[in-house]
Amino acid sequence: MTIFIGVASFIFGSVVGSFLNVCIYRLPREESILTPGSRCQHCSKHIAWYDNIPFISFIMLRRRCRHCQGIISSRYFLVEFLTAGIFLSLFLKLGVSPEFFIYLPLVSGLILITFIDFDHWIIPDVVTLPGIILGIVLSTLHPEIQREILHFSAVSATRLSGFFSSVFGAFVGGFFLYLTGVIGRKIAKKEVMGGGDVKLLAMIGAFLGWQLTALTIFLSAFAGSVVGIIAKIRKGESYLPYGPYLALGAVFSVFWGKAIIEWYIRHLLRGGS
Ligand SMILES: [Zn+2]
């Protein structure tokens, strides 16, 4: 049964990944994500469903359009595979639980934002703003997700605590980056933090609560600095989109955040006594 659901999550992930590919291409161009159906980017011919099956069509058609033989970007394969892999990993970690279903839309949104930010240096509000609301709603419906890492506190999770914890997480995330942007602008005399990043971290905060959001900030700053320094040395590039690192930090926090924070607290308590 586990194998069956595991395979099902992987296939479901690949289908969602396929849809994310459409959104990654169309959202920044302000095209509808529903109509028309998938089209070849070279010849604009409609892509039939049998040529649009995740992985399989890509391999069968040898990365080429059936009509014009134009090369299909391997990005499509990557996004499908990444989404499928993360969905499967979430299932293996959480089983079929409310947490599993709450994190699915979160990671899908993060994958979407990552690739749009890489390509266009924007983080669309149509993803982050509904994302913030969804995070708050789901945390209210299932408050346990917000006190996952707070289980050492005796307070039980209620709808109200889930709601406030989520709103507070969104506030902490948004406010921290907003402040970073204001201070950065004063020091660097230029824009260092986009408004999209602020809303993205607010969305992450609404899903993860303030503790995991703090960890996300730490992890993304670390990953962003390492990559930023390498990029600067290699290409003299000084601007990098920050969204992908926030997304990476958030996914890392979903999988290992609880373990990291508990390890840290145990160490802190032992160090203090
Ligand atoms: Zn074509």
Side-chain angles (χ1 to χ4, degrees):
M1 195 61 188
T2 307
I3 295 172
F4 176 75
I5 303 175
V7 171
S9 346
F10 190 82
I11 294 172
F12 179 57
S14 71
V15 173
V16 171
S18 180
F19 178 64
L20 292 179
N21 272 321
V22 174
C23 298
I24 290 165
Y25 185 82
R26 293 186 185 176
L27 275 183
R29 292 170 173 82
E30 298 192 346
E31 295 172 10
S32 163
I33 52 171
L34 296 175
T35 54
S38 299
R39 270 162 205 283
C40 169
Q41 284 170 26
H42 305 287
C43 65
S44 298
K45 281 236 170 67
H46 178 72
I47 299 172
W49 66 268
Y50 50 81
D51 285 342
N52 210 3
I53 302 165
F55 309 135
I56 296 167
S57 300
F58 192 85
I59 294 163
M60 295 290 278
L61 293 170
R62 296 200 188 83
R63 286 189 61 195
R64 282 175 187 282
C65 167
R66 185 182 288 277
H67 308 288
C68 70
Q69 302 296 312
I71 289 188
I72 299 161
S73 163
S74 46
R75 157 75 70 83
Y76 286 86
F77 189 86
L78 173 72
V79 170
E80 283 166 5
F81 194 76
L82 185 69
T83 314
I86 294 181
F87 276 30
L88 173 62
S89 310
L90 273 178
F91 164 68
L92 293 176
K93 181 174 170 65
L94 300 166
V96 180
S97 60
E99 284 76 14
F100 174 66
F101 290 104
I102 290 175
Y103 287 139
L104 290 187
L106 174 65
V107 296
S108 305
L110 292 174
I111 292 169
L112 176 58
I113 286 166
T114 294
F115 287 95
I116 291 180
D117 202 14
F118 263 135
D119 289 349
H120 303 276
W121 293 5
I122 52 164
I123 298 174
D125 286 349
V126 304
V127 183
T128 49
L129 297 183
I132 294 170
I133 310 241
L134 186 67
I136 295 172
V137 169
L138 291 175
S139 301
T140 309
L141 293 175
H142 185 72
E144 286 79 7
I145 195 138
Q146 285 285 337
R147 59 180 292 279
E148 261 282 277
I149 61 159
L150 282 175
H151 67 133
F152 46 83
S153 79
V155 189
S156 65
T158 61
R159 290 269 149 90
L160 202 63
S161 76
F163 173 79
F164 279 115
S165 177
S166 173
V167 170
F168 187 62
F171 176 77
V172 167
F175 187 70
F176 179 83
L177 275 199
Y178 175 74
L179 210 62
T180 310
V182 170
I183 296 169
R185 205 178 304 135
K186 281 242 155 55
I187 296 173
K189 300 266 187 277
K190 62 172 184 176
E191 211 61 54
V192 293
M193 194 62 65
D197 297 313
V198 171
K199 282 166 253 175
L200 170 57
L201 195 59
M203 176 184 108
I204 292 169
F207 275 91
L208 300 187
W210 72 269
Q211 297 96 334
L212 290 181
T213 301
L215 182 68
T216 300
I217 294 168
F218 176 77
L219 293 172
S220 62
F222 179 74
S225 327
V226 171
V227 176
I229 290 166
I230 294 170
K232 192 156 179 96
I233 294 169
R234 285 181 52 187
K235 291 188 272 182
E237 190 88 59
S238 66
Y239 182 81
L240 284 170
Y242 188 43
Y245 302 101
L246 286 172
L248 186 70
V251 170
F252 201 88
S253 297
V254 164
F255 281 98
W256 298 288
K258 191 180 164 192
I260 294 171
I261 291 178
E262 283 177 357
W263 174 85
Y264 182 73
I265 289 171
R266 264 205 313 280
H267 252 71
L268 203 71
L269 292 179
R270 199 183 299 156
S273 63

